[in-house]
Amino acid sequence: QVQLVESGGGLVQTGGSLRLSCAASGGTFGSYAMGWFRQAPGKERDFVAAMRWTVAATLYADSVKGRFTIFRDHSKNTLYLQMNSLKPEDTDVYYCAVVNPNNWRQTTGSWGQGTQVTVSS
């Protein structure tokens, strides 16, 4: 299966912005539906956003609607998450993953290594 590599995390202050990238390694995303998830220490992994790779359609968690945007670049075979108006509650390790085509809030087991996002107050 395709290997996923996340990048773009870092440390920002409240209200700042970051853009995360998820690149395919050893293959392409093909017809997958792809998503972003996040997990803080001691907490469960939470859904953030997802989209279908070949057909324009998106889904967002209520907590990030209006602040985050998921999009893709077919020419680079890369998935992105633009994060604006960041809050301390957004501090997490962020992962991209292939999602269940029948439930975009669930993964199919293909994950990247994660990238750390830290938002200071």
Side-chain angles (χ1 to χ4, degrees):
Q1 285 188 281
V2 63
Q3 301 296 307
L4 306 176
V5 181
E6 299 97 335
S7 62
L11 174 64
V12 299
Q13 293 188 346
T14 298
S17 298
L18 286 171
R19 179 176 291 182
L20 307 184
S21 300
C22 174
S25 177
T28 64
F29 290 121
S31 61
Y32 297 143
M34 300 294 301
W36 287 97
F37 297 77
R38 61 189 184 184
Q39 185 173 29
K43 298 183 179 180
E44 295 185 353
R45 189 168 296 171
D46 292 328
F47 169 79
V48 176
M51 71 177 299
R52 194 178 302 278
W53 191 246
T54 59
V55 178
T58 59
L59 178 68
Y60 294 94
D62 289 341
S63 60
V64 305
K65 287 181 179 178
R67 299 190 299 121
F68 292 8
T69 303
I70 186 171
F71 64 100
R72 71 202 189 283
D73 186 335
H74 283 157
S75 67
K76 297 181 179 180
N77 200 36
T78 300
L79 181 73
Y80 299 94
L81 184 69
Q82 178 66 45
M83 305 186 295
N84 298 326
S85 301
L86 284 162
K87 306 174 181 179
E89 303 88 80
D90 297 318
T91 294
D92 275 309
V93 177
Y94 284 69
Y95 301 87
C96 65
V98 179
V99 302
N100 185 337
N102 297 314
N103 184 352
W104 290 8
R105 298 178 182 271
Q106 297 179 346
T107 72
T108 62
S110 296
W111 293 85
Q113 83 287 350
T115 185
Q116 175 70 50
V117 171
T118 302
V119 185
S120 62
S121 60

